[in-house]
Amino acid sequence: SAVISQKPSRDICQRGTSLTIQCQVDSQVTMMFWYRQQPGQSLTLIATANQGSEATYESGFVIDKFPISRPNLTFSTLTVSNLSPEDSSIYLCSVYRGNTQYFGPGTRLTVL
Amino acid sequence: AQSVSQHNHHVILSEAASLELGCNYSYGGTVNLFWYVQYPGQHLQLLLKYFSGDPLVKGIKGFEAEFIKSKFSFNLRKPSVQWSDTAEYFCAVNPRANFGNEKLTFGTGTRLTIIP
């Protein structure tokens, strides 16, 4: 299994500001994933983060809006930039280990 | 690209009723299949998974799912539900060709409400 923690667990932000979400895993992993779960919808993959290289973004997501850092094999951050109400979602970090993907508790972001 | 359909958006059952949640996927190749559950206020947890072998897989808490390749389906079942099964259930797939980049494609989820 994998133990994943995220900070913050929730936040309320003003339009135009940014929020950085941290994800910490209990042991080293090659790939970390960032997902978004919009209200009433399913999970959508934002990007895949490998240590030592730039993140790979899915269609519809760009680095300027969702910059990601992956400084080591147990940690990653996702920044949601220039916030708008449409960014109100739950953001989840996940890792792949033992043929299974494990998810963090999520960060609930509300943009006013 | 692959896609996943969950046709039941909200299912309401009484305790002890039998459950079947539908999941169909669209992908021409071999896939790995998953069911995840999200209990109220908790994070996503893996219920069960299918990679190969016996198409009937058993998971935690009495859940099982059957992979029917000809129907591109992976329906979740439980013979007798409990109030504690109230949760959101997500089906997900990962093409086996993606080995090394195991990103999941999720269905839209099914909200299950169990009435005591």
Side-chain angles (χ1 to χ4, degrees):
Chain A
S1 67
V3 178
I4 305 170
S5 60
Q6 286 184 233
K7 291 181 182 179
S9 58
R10 58 178 63 226
D11 207 342
I12 301 173
C13 299
Q14 296 296 321
R15 186 193 301 255
T17 63
S18 298
L19 176 70
T20 295
I21 303 167
Q22 299 178 6
C23 177
Q24 180 76 50
V25 189
D26 60 338
S27 59
Q28 294 180 348
V29 290
T30 304
M31 287 186 291
M32 296 177 77
F33 304 87
W34 286 99
Y35 286 84
R36 180 176 71 182
Q37 186 177 18
Q38 292 179 299
Q41 298 188 30
S42 186
L43 286 81
T44 302
L45 181 65
I46 298 171
T48 303
N50 289 334
Q51 193 266 339
S53 63
E54 280 197 5
T56 302
Y57 289 83
E58 297 299 303
S59 176
F61 298 96
V62 295
I63 188 171
D64 289 347
K65 176 68 175 177
F66 298 99
I68 289 171
S69 77
R70 183 80 201 274
N72 58 53
L73 290 172
T74 62
F75 187 79
S76 177
T77 67
L78 169 74
T79 299
V80 190
S81 305
N82 190 23
L83 290 168
S84 68
E86 293 71 35
D87 295 320
S88 297
S89 292
I90 298 173
Y91 293 86
L92 298 107
C93 169
S94 77
V95 303
Y96 195 83
R97 179 179 293 163
N99 292 330
T100 298
Q101 197 154 115
Y102 296 93
F103 289 84
T107 296
R108 183 181 295 271
L109 169 62
T110 302
V111 183
L112 301 178
Chain B
Q2 64 274 13
S3 65
V4 180
S5 298
Q6 291 181 245
H7 309 295
N8 313 105
H9 297 293
H10 190 188
V11 173
I12 303 173
L13 294 173
S14 299
E15 275 194 316
S18 64
L19 169 72
E20 180 160 4
L21 301 182
C23 173
N24 289 90
Y25 66 93
S26 169
Y27 183 71
T30 307
V31 294
N32 298 324
L33 296 152
F34 307 82
W35 275 98
Y36 283 85
V37 61
Q38 189 170 30
Y39 297 104
Q42 298 188 28
H43 61 277
L44 275 171
Q45 302 172 38
L46 181 69
L47 261 184
L48 47 78
K49 59 187 176 184
Y50 172 79
F51 288 169
S52 63
D54 188 344
L56 183 63
V57 294
K58 296 189 183 300
I60 60 172
K61 304 187 180 185
F63 286 91
E64 64 180 30
E66 184 176 13
F67 170 53
I68 301 179
K69 187 175 181 179
S70 61
K71 295 184 178 180
F72 298 89
S73 70
F74 190 56
N75 292 354
L76 181 71
R77 300 197 292 247
K78 185 171 184 178
S80 177
V81 294
Q82 303 172 306
W83 176 80
S84 59
D85 293 324
T86 295
E88 189 96 18
Y89 292 81
F90 294 94
C91 182
V93 303
N94 166 245
R96 211 163 293 171
N98 277 2
F99 181 78
N101 186 8
E102 287 78 8
K103 56 186 182 182
L104 295 175
T105 299
F106 282 85
T108 51
T110 297
R111 183 188 303 174
L112 175 63
T113 301
I114 305 300
I115 302 171

